[in-house]
Amino acid sequence: MPRFSLIVPCFKVQGFLRECLDSVLLQSFNDFELIAVDDRSPDGCGAILDEYAGRDPRVRVLHLPENVGLGRARNAGMRHATGDYLFFLDSDDTLTPGALRAITDRLAETRDPDVLVFDYARTYWWGGTRRNVLAHLLGEAGQDTFTADGFPQILDLLMVVWNKVYRRRFVQSQGFEFPPGYYEDTPWTFPAMLSARRIATLDRICLNYRQRRQGNILSTTSRKHFDIHDQYERVFAFVEQRPQLAHWRPYLHRKMGEHCLDILAKPDRLPPADKAEFFRRTARMFRDHRPDGALVDGEVRLLEGSWTAYRIRRQAARAGRETARRADLVRDSAAARVRSGWASLHTHRPLDPHLVVYSASSHRGMRGDPAAVYAKARQIAPQLRGVWVVKDAETAAQLPSGVEHVIVGSRRYLEVTARATFFVNDVNWPGTLAKRPGSVHIHTHRGTPLKYMGADLRDKPGARLGFDVPQMLRRADRWDYSLVANRHSELVWERAYPCHFTSLRTGSPRNDVLVNAGSGDGGGFRERHGIPADHTVVLYAPTHRDYRRGGHVDRIDLARFAADLGEGRTLVVRLHPSLANGPARGLGLAELARRGIVVDATGEPRVEDVLLAADVLVTDYSAVMFDYANLDRPIVVHADDWPAFTASRGAYLDITAEPPGHVSHSYRELAWLFASGSWRDEESARLRADFRARFCEFDDGRAAERVVRTLLLGEPMTGEGTVRIPGQPAGRDTLASA
């Protein structure tokens, strides 16, 4: 008996079917049967299914003699299912890699619940991806099983059949089947969720829900949408036959009203001539099924009035939104004039020689090189007033107590930036910030560059998608100083940013803590994450990919890697900052961290703390390797897609030919390096020494102090390697002016 029976009905999806089937058959978990139902599809679906069945015994094909629709096609497949759990997969959707393994592990952890609800992501025809906005409910449900009564918020999730797996014996005991119709999911999911005695959740994206440009049944304009009424009648009948579910009637009554009004409001669902009839039928059903004492408020109150009143209300709402939009434009314009006038008042006042304004990572808080400079300035130059620019109130709340800050765009921001003498940033300041004569802009960058940056992206259209290179260079023209940690960076920045700054060989301020690290440093991170003191910490830090929309590519099976590392080793994962708030963590990392298989360090604000805790770094092409090299600890470069990476983004050096340690070109090679112990052999040490000599040249542990004394306090620059490299001659830059 297989663990899963995946039931895949197929009708006019030949262009998507192979991708769907491959996403199942290439799963790392193999204990399943795939029952594909050819619903008398007029295209090539049947032949494709027979082809797959001919080469894979896990695939069984049912050819129906006539087209019966999605629900009854699922029923046909269900009658042949033998698995422990039923998984209804639409034939234009796909499973994410590792989905079945994650689901089966969660089923085992929760001792085979009746229903397991997992997460999904919408994948749009134009290439975008968006995670389910209510994904947080999957985590809030807790680690144990529950009922809908115990956690009713679970019903706020999309009530569809494909974001859940169902215990087959539970389905059989309840006699669940799909009815005919357009909205067949409704009378399946509500009864299943209300009847289940044990529900569990999995906070992981297991399915990509394809949003097709055309061909999506629910986005087709048709009278078939009237089917929603019949389906809710089935739901009400189910509850009516089960007195123990009677308390759910007010919820279902309201849900029906909201669902129908949502269909009515969408411009692409109902033919305009049929909308009045749809409203009246909905209103009649809403009235007929209203429970005694049910609260009717909000939008569903419209169903107690007439179609004319509904139309007037909708038209008024549209007019109100347009009026509000115009008022916002007027208000924003007036506010901009006020702010501009306020800023102008302060530009006539002298610069404050003790005012330093800091920002990091596009105003995301205290981090990186600016944070190191700020900390050192407070220590050795308390007369300097440091003010941080943050993007919003939420970011401001995360700042340490006592740190002065302003929110970008606010009146105080304009006042501070108009009078500050010094500006310290690792990302360009907004174009609206005018540089006053006498002010000093210090650009720290965000590490040593491996991949192409700035003007070098001109010939990399994929990498500079949405990136205005001339505008960026106009902003970089405001830099006075560019801090570098090595001669490689010095040359790259002058090429990538053909502007008029002076290069300063200070070293990287954020690396001071790494250069000066003691044996006990990094213990705080280990303690926070429960990592035993005697464990070897393996840090995996992949970078962003420009050849994939969204930037995330799973190059390593993290669960497998953690297992292959063996006892006494902890795998810590830190995704690229650009991926921290996207769907990447929901593709398995968050769930693996919850189960204690890996430690997710993506959200750690100080990357230095993570580096200090690591005994070895595994990365592909992340610039963090240049920082980590200061610790003189082993580094492994996993370069299994180096040609694709360089073709899409470009690189200033061949990291596979000049690596900081051993290079793996496949997962097998990577696993062997750790199994054999080669990751820390003499050759690894030799490669690392050469790499450190070249790329940690100016990092001596005093970079922040050097910046404060030389640039903020005006003291002479002293010490070996502390050289100023004047900028390029001023003149018209055709690229920046384009």
Side-chain angles (χ1 to χ4, degrees):
M1 180 184 296
R3 188 59 165 159
F4 297 106
S5 293
L6 288 105
I7 299 171
V8 185
C10 306
F11 183 75
K12 296 177 68 173
V13 289
Q14 63 178 8
F16 308 103
L17 184 54
R18 291 182 185 276
E19 186 180 359
C20 172
L21 298 176
D22 288 341
S23 77
V24 176
L25 299 176
L26 295 177
Q27 290 283 311
S28 58
F29 182 81
N30 294 310
D31 187 16
F32 63 83
E33 60 181 1
L34 194 160
I35 303 172
V37 184
D38 173 16
D39 190 17
R40 197 65 175 176
S41 184
D43 58 6
C45 284
I48 294 172
L49 295 177
D50 289 338
E51 173 195 333
Y52 273 78
R55 65 172 188 249
D56 195 316
R58 296 172 296 178
V59 180
R60 299 165 60 193
V61 181
L62 302 178
H63 294 284
L64 301 185
E66 60 180 357
N67 176 251
V68 298
L70 182 58
R72 285 185 287 185
R74 287 171 176 161
N75 292 338
M78 192 162 41
R79 285 191 283 271
H80 292 268
T82 62
D84 295 330
Y85 279 85
L86 302 175
F87 192 146
F88 300 100
L89 177 65
D90 287 352
S91 48
D92 55 353
D93 295 338
T94 57
L95 298 186
T96 60
L100 291 184
R101 168 60 65 185
I103 292 173
T104 198
D105 287 346
R106 183 65 175 139
L107 290 174
E109 183 181 30
T110 53
R111 302 179 305 283
D112 285 6
D114 296 328
V115 181
L116 174 71
V117 187
F118 51 79
D119 199 15
Y120 66 92
R122 296 176 186 266
T123 57
Y124 294 88
W125 60 268
W126 42 264
T129 300
R130 183 168 64 89
R131 188 178 187 184
N132 168 24
V133 296
L134 295 177
H136 60 90
L137 292 177
L138 297 171
E140 293 172 6
Q143 301 312 311
D144 297 328
T145 58
F146 55 90
T147 63
D149 283 320
F151 188 69
Q153 298 94 318
I154 196 67
L155 299 182
D156 292 336
L157 293 170
L158 197 60
M159 283 289 102
V160 290
V161 68
W162 43 256
N163 64 348
K164 307 169 184 72
V165 293
Y166 310 85
R167 190 166 58 85
R168 185 168 60 89
R169 295 196 183 280
F170 162 68
V171 171
Q172 290 175 336
S173 69
Q174 298 292 325
F176 291 144
E177 281 198 338
F178 291 94
Y182 230 33
Y183 288 85
E184 76 293 328
D185 281 11
T186 300
W188 171 284
T189 49
F190 279 117
M193 295 298 286
L194 296 180
S195 302
R197 293 186 176 183
R198 300 178 65 247
I199 303 171
T201 58
L202 172 61
D203 186 9
R204 184 194 192 275
I205 298 173
C206 295
L207 182 140
N208 288 320
Y209 175 34
R210 189 188 300 272
Q211 306 292 285
R212 292 157 63 181
R213 185 170 184 266
Q214 58 183 11
N216 187 322
I217 294 176
L218 293 184
S219 295
T220 302
T221 303
S222 167
R223 278 187 62 87
K224 290 183 178 180
H225 292 283
F226 279 77
D227 174 67
I228 189 65
H229 301 117
D230 293 337
Q231 305 299 3
Y232 270 103
E233 288 287 3
R234 292 185 170 97
V235 175
F236 290 131
F238 178 86
V239 172
E240 189 69 27
Q241 295 165 6
R242 291 161 177 79
Q244 70 274 19
L245 299 180
H247 61 284
W248 282 105
R249 290 181 60 201
Y251 170 85
L252 294 170
H253 174 256
R254 185 182 192 89
K255 193 75 172 180
M256 180 275 295
E258 292 173 345
H259 196 168
C260 291
L261 287 174
D262 182 63
I263 294 171
L264 185 61
K266 285 185 165 56
D268 59 351
R269 299 294 171 88
L270 293 161
D274 296 322
K275 290 190 173 185
E277 180 186 350
F278 185 90
F279 174 86
R280 294 187 182 104
R281 187 176 298 185
T282 301
R284 183 168 60 251
M285 186 176 177
F286 189 76
R287 182 176 59 253
D288 291 345
H289 287 283
R290 179 175 178 175
D292 293 337
L295 177 65
V296 178
D297 59 358
E299 188 177 16
V300 293
R301 289 187 62 185
L302 295 172
L303 293 171
E304 294 191 328
S306 66
W307 164 245
T308 301
Y310 171 81
R311 290 185 62 192
I312 293 173
R313 176 72 176 270
R314 292 283 299 175
Q315 291 169 356
R318 283 195 293 270
R321 286 194 296 270
E322 179 61 20
T323 300
R325 186 186 68 83
R326 293 179 179 178
D328 287 343
L329 291 175
V330 172
R331 184 167 54 252
D332 291 345
S333 178
R337 289 194 298 271
V338 170
R339 288 196 298 267
S340 177
W342 181 265
S344 297
L345 288 175
H346 288 280
T347 57
H348 295 296
R349 299 174 62 186
L351 295 177
D352 184 342
H354 296 113
L355 181 56
V356 188
V357 176
Y358 298 89
S359 181
S361 301
S362 299
H363 316 311
R364 288 186 172 88
M366 289 179 59
R367 56 184 67 189
D369 291 309
V373 174
Y374 171 80
K376 184 59 66 174
R378 293 193 69 176
Q379 177 186 344
I380 66 176
Q383 70 273 26
L384 296 177
R385 175 191 172 198
V387 180
W388 280 87
V389 176
V390 294
K391 63 178 182 177
D392 51 33
E394 182 180 355
T395 306
Q398 298 171 2
L399 295 174
S401 177
V403 174
E404 187 176 357
H405 66 274
V406 294
I407 296 176
V408 65
S410 66
R411 178 181 291 186
R412 288 193 62 231
Y413 163 82
L414 295 172
E415 176 185 349
V416 166
T417 54
R419 297 209 57 211
T421 296
F422 302 102
F423 293 80
V424 182
N425 200 342
D426 60 6
V427 179
N428 262 322
W429 292 98
T432 54
L433 178 62
K435 182 181 180 184
R436 292 185 62 185
S439 64
V440 177
H441 283 235
I442 303 165
H443 196 76
T444 70
H445 303 282
R446 290 196 285 179
T448 294
L450 171 61
K451 55 192 176 185
Y452 276 8
M453 305 290 286
D456 289 330
L457 294 174
R458 285 174 297 172
D459 297 326
K460 298 294 181 182
R464 63 177 173 84
L465 181 65
F467 181 60
D468 189 334
V469 174
Q471 181 189 73
M472 177 273 302
L473 293 180
R474 286 192 291 271
R475 295 179 180 182
D477 274 330
R478 296 175 296 187
W479 302 353
D480 292 290
Y481 296 102
S482 166
L483 308 187
V484 299
N486 47 65
R487 297 171 203 266
H488 163 80
S489 297
E490 185 176 279
L491 296 175
V492 166
W493 296 141
E494 291 190 9
R495 164 181 159 173
Y497 300 99
C499 303
H500 318 303
F501 54 81
T502 293
S503 292
L504 212 58
R505 297 177 177 177
T506 57
S508 176
R510 70 178 182 179
N511 287 342
D512 288 349
V513 67
L514 304 181
V515 176
N516 299 322
S519 58
D521 291 342
F525 175 87
R526 288 177 175 245
E527 184 177 348
R528 282 199 307 278
H529 293 279
I531 302 174
D534 60 343
H535 270 216
T536 297
V537 172
V538 180
L539 171 61
Y540 175 52
T543 195
H544 182 278
R545 297 302 198 280
D546 293 285
Y547 62 76
R548 177 69 62 86
R549 184 184 288 271
H552 177 68
V553 179
D554 280 318
R555 306 307 309 177
I556 293 177
D557 183 332
L558 297 177
R560 179 182 177 186
F561 188 34
D564 289 345
L565 287 175
E567 294 292 329
R569 291 174 177 172
T570 295
L571 178 60
V572 175
V573 181
R574 183 179 175 87
L575 299 180
H576 190 273
S578 65
L579 305 174
N581 297 318
R585 294 168 83 176
L587 285 167
L589 177 55
E591 173 64 10
L592 292 175
R594 182 195 66 79
R595 293 167 52 199
I597 294 174
V598 304
V599 172
D600 180 8
T602 305
E604 287 283 331
R606 282 175 44 89
V607 67
E608 304 91 81
D609 293 341
V610 185
L611 300 182
L612 286 168
D615 297 296
V616 53
L617 169 67
V618 178
T619 187
D620 34 41
Y621 326 115
S622 172
V624 76
M625 72 175 79
F626 298 97
D627 302 322
Y628 190 76
N630 283 286
L631 290 168
D632 196 20
R633 299 175 188 173
I635 301 173
V636 174
V637 175
H638 186 56
D640 65 336
D641 66 340
W642 179 245
F645 180 84
T646 53
S648 60
R649 179 62 186 241
Y652 292 112
L653 68 147
D654 185 350
I655 200 64
T656 65
E658 305 172 81
H662 288 296
V663 178
S664 59
H665 298 279
S666 67
Y667 178 76
R668 183 177 181 180
E669 292 180 6
L670 176 64
W672 179 85
L673 285 173
F674 281 91
S676 65
S678 300
W679 60 277
R680 54 181 176 184
D681 61 11
E682 291 183 3
E683 177 66 7
S684 170
R686 184 191 67 78
L687 292 169
R688 186 167 70 253
D690 292 343
F691 190 85
R692 291 181 69 238
R694 180 178 178 185
F695 296 108
C696 302
E697 183 180 5
F698 307 137
D699 281 334
D700 61 357
R702 297 184 57 218
E705 179 182 356
R706 192 172 291 121
V707 172
V708 172
R709 293 192 182 281
T710 303
L711 300 182
L712 304 186
L713 299 179
E715 298 177 4
M717 193 166 179
T718 60
E720 184 178 355
T722 53
V723 177
R724 295 171 181 257
I725 308 298
Q728 302 170 45
R732 182 175 176 81
D733 188 325
T734 56
L735 176 64
S737 303

